[in-house]
Amino acid sequence: MTAEILARWQFGITTVYHFLFVPITIALSLLVAVLQTMWVKSGNVRFLRLTKFYGKLFLINFAMGVVTGIVQEFQFGMNWSEYSRTVGDIFGAPLAMEALIAFFLESVFLGVWVFGWDKLPKKVHLATIWLGSIGTLISSIFILAANAWMQNPTGAEFANNRAQMTDLLAVILNPVAATTWTHVIFGAFMTAGALVLGAAGWNLVRVNREHPNSDDVADFRWATRFGAWVLIVACVGVVVTGHIQGQVLTDLQPMKMAAAENLQKTTDCAPFEIVPGLGVPCVLSFMATNDPGAEVRGMDDLAAEYSAKLAAGKPLDDRNQLQVTTAAAGAGIWGQKDAVDWIPPVMPSFWSFRFMMLLGVIGVAIGIYTLVATKGTKIPKGGKGWTAMMILTPLMPLFASSFGWLVTEIGRQPFIVNGVLSTHAAVSPGVTAFEVGMTLVLYTLIYAVFAVVEVNLMLKYIKLGMPHYLREPEVQTDEDAPMSFAY
Amino acid sequence: MNFNFAFNLPEAVPSALAVVWFLLVAVLWVGYLVLEGFDYGVAMLIPFLGKSEKERRVMINTIGPVWDGNEVWLLTAGGAMFAAFPAWYATLFSGLYLPLFLVLVGLIIRGVSFEYRSKHPNTKWRGTFDWLASIGSFLVPLVFGVGFANFVIGLPVVTDPNNPALFVVATSQANVGVTPYFWELFSPFGLLGGIAVVALCLFHGSIYLVLKTKGQIHDRAKKFAKTMGLITIAGGAVFLVCQNLFWAPVFLSGLNWILVLVAAVALIWAWLNIGKGTSFVATSVAWLAVALGIFIRMLPGLGFVDAGTRTVFDASGELFGMNAFAAASTDGTLLIMLVIALIMVPIVLAYTIWVYWTFRRPIGVSNIPDDVVADAK
């Protein structure tokens, strides 16, 4: 295998793995902040207990998110140095801004939140979780702006044999960034809501069996329904933003849409295929353009159009300044010396798209079922089916997010920067296949070991249930007294 | 169709902004070394200085609230190199592929350890994570020390014949993509750099421990700092004198000798004042002096040299293409980023200082609650 193929696998594995922790970090930190706010406002100890219970799960997950995120920042330079050199003028800026504006905020204040229970007045301590949580949200804006630039390189021109920034606002306000961000954030809340639901729902039937009518039953019941509502509301957001995103995609990356839908020929009233060969007429046209009769361009026609444009020295999309200036400089598809295979891997795109939707639907269906099962004074009896559902719920939107990213990134091929720079030309020229291959194996092994550790800890702390004998945290003035919390 | 277009070198316009950004990158590295330097030191010492479970927990809790924020200085330095000097970031990170992989492994295992060790009462579990934290915290400064020593010597680079803007770390054109530049890093001076940086982390970290702990662990840290200080002063002196005798900077070589003096005075001051707040300030000043001296040496070639001439000039005597000006981003990007940095760095410093103030109290075994796992019940 070549260094290029190995580097692509490495990016895929490390990124998908990293993104298993990101949605929970972003959305669960905010839900914990909401719970803690409810405690500070109402003084109701239920919300303090829930804050502590979910806070632990959040931190177990957060640690993995942090350490796997560092790999991401280094990886661009290590495996994709020619990409880094040629687009750093634009792509580096959001990464540096993310570190300065968001990552400091998140890391510093979450550290204070963990250890600050008896060091700070209640309200100041509450502010730290909010600041940390807002940090994760701002972080996602910059990272998704950087990713959106690869999908639709705005605010840049081709000069000095590299991409140079012409307009920072155009980079940040990229339409792809706006639609992706909302879709990703709603997806994150689906995952976190489902985790809140699953952890509480599993405990609910257990504590109801062991200590019926206890506070634990009431609190877990509340949390189960809270999680279900977050999951369902976020799901509505995911569907709406996903629909808008599909239209932006059809406009700016029609090849990605065609590949995800396995659409060979340009078609009016294009069908949505549930599996290859089994299509519902006109649904794809509606998804892509809001008009059931509209034409959707197919892969063969797009490929022919692109080949003709390249041969004529024209940009693939003449609305994009970077593509236009690249073509005007005679640079063709920048760095691409071989014939171009315009079509991304079709079946991986096609199936990832369907799995994403299917898993999301299963997740939200469990959410609705849970609401019904806990309606009024009802408490489910439990059993194997219930346990399985509670374990599956958080995994559904989590893996749906992974599949969503597979569609996004596989569908971008053969480009690393859409229409401008090929993935093939972006790889580090001095790095050997041995180096990439060995580190790929080692990353995978280390990540696998830590995945086992993390899942076991998560389960352990879910099973431990609600913290009991909680002291109301207050500022400790005795210098020799034990801290209310320490590692 | 034009696939085989010729690449031209970007016109290297000496930009004042590039110089400012080079300084800012140096400042971010100093911030990283001063802040994370001590938490590497403390974490390395966990299995050695912590004689009981509670003592080890005291050590972890002195750095627990701050280590993650400290690490962001490294990520910001990396991000700033990417944004301000894309060609530097690209050539360096791909050129030092295996060393940086070791850094990442170190950062992964130590970061996870702090969070996970307390999550299980089992002694074996905790012992494992103590060692992972220690080894990870040793690996990272070791590799960076070897790396910085090699920037002083100069990493050899060649250009791609099809693409003269692209520089690759290699001893010759024939080795590009065939033989990684790896074993050459471990020259005597390279190893000395690794040892010196690890030693300074240990000294800096033990001084921090002395200030932040009470009881037996405090006394043990103090004793260790006394010994470690002597090793650091000796190792640092050999490193800095060799650096300036054999690899004097192109510019400001006089200033570099002054920085050697500053580092020496700071380290001796720290050693004489262990237990006082000024000792920590002194080791921080030592980091500053050492890092600035190395960064000055890295001008204008960014720590690279022409593989043929082994200097920053090519065979025809011209300044080679891998320099701070040619590698820089456009003035537009540099200016926007500078404005953001000038706003954000003081804000970050302000809240970081607030955090250290919040956790200013030294802790001892009496402050450690019985067990968090029991607590969770």
Side-chain angles (χ1 to χ4, degrees), chain B residues 5 22 32 34 101 130 147 180 199 221 235 272 277 279 292 312 317 366:
Chain B
F5 60 94
F22 183 81
Y32 162 68
V34 167
F101 173 73
D130 287 341
L272 292 173
S279 61
L292 277 189
V312 292
S366 71

Side-chain angles (χ1 to χ4, degrees), chain A residues 60 70 73 77 79 81-82 89 103 105 115 161-162 330 336 443 454 460-461 479-481 483 486-487, chain B residues 2-3 8 57 61 71 75 79 89-90 97 104 115-116 119 163 166 214 328-330 333 351 366-367 372:
Chain A
I60 292 168
I70 308 170
E73 196 204 36
N79 284 337
S81 71
E82 189 48 4
D89 194 57
F103 201 24
L105 200 65
F115 290 88
N161 284 308
R162 64 176 180 179
Q336 180 71 46
Y443 279 128
E454 137 108 20
K460 174 185 156 80
Y461 275 85
E479 292 194 4
D480 289 320
M483 299 181 278
Y487 272 171
Chain B
N2 184 3
F3 286 135
N8 296 310
R57 287 178 62 196
N61 279 281
E71 199 159 288
L75 298 178
Y89 168 81
Y97 195 91
L104 289 171
E115 194 58 49
Y116 285 0
K119 298 288 183 283
N163 185 351
L166 172 61
K214 304 183 285 199
S329 283
T330 54
T333 297
Y351 62 66
S366 71
N367 298 108
V372 286

Side-chain angles (χ1 to χ4, degrees), chain A residues 94 137-154 168-186 241 244-245 248-249 252-253 256 405 408:
Chain A
L137 272 178
I138 301 175
S139 195
S140 64
I141 293 175
F142 286 117
I143 296 302
L144 292 177
N147 178 268
W149 191 81
M150 300 165 82
Q151 318 289 343
N152 177 37
T154 50
L168 177 69
L169 270 187
V171 175
I172 304 283
L173 300 178
N174 189 337
V176 176
T179 50
T180 307
W181 187 74
T182 45
H183 193 63
V184 164
I185 295 302
F186 278 123
T241 53
I244 300 168
Q245 203 185 12
V248 172
L249 185 70
L252 295 169
Q253 293 175 285
K256 187 193 279 185
W405 277 114
T408 305

Side-chain angles (χ1 to χ4, degrees), chain A residues 69 71 115 122 235 284 365 438 440 474:
Chain A
V71 176
F115 290 88
K122 258 188 203 176
C235 182
L284 174 56
M438 185 185 71
L440 171 63
E474 51 192 36

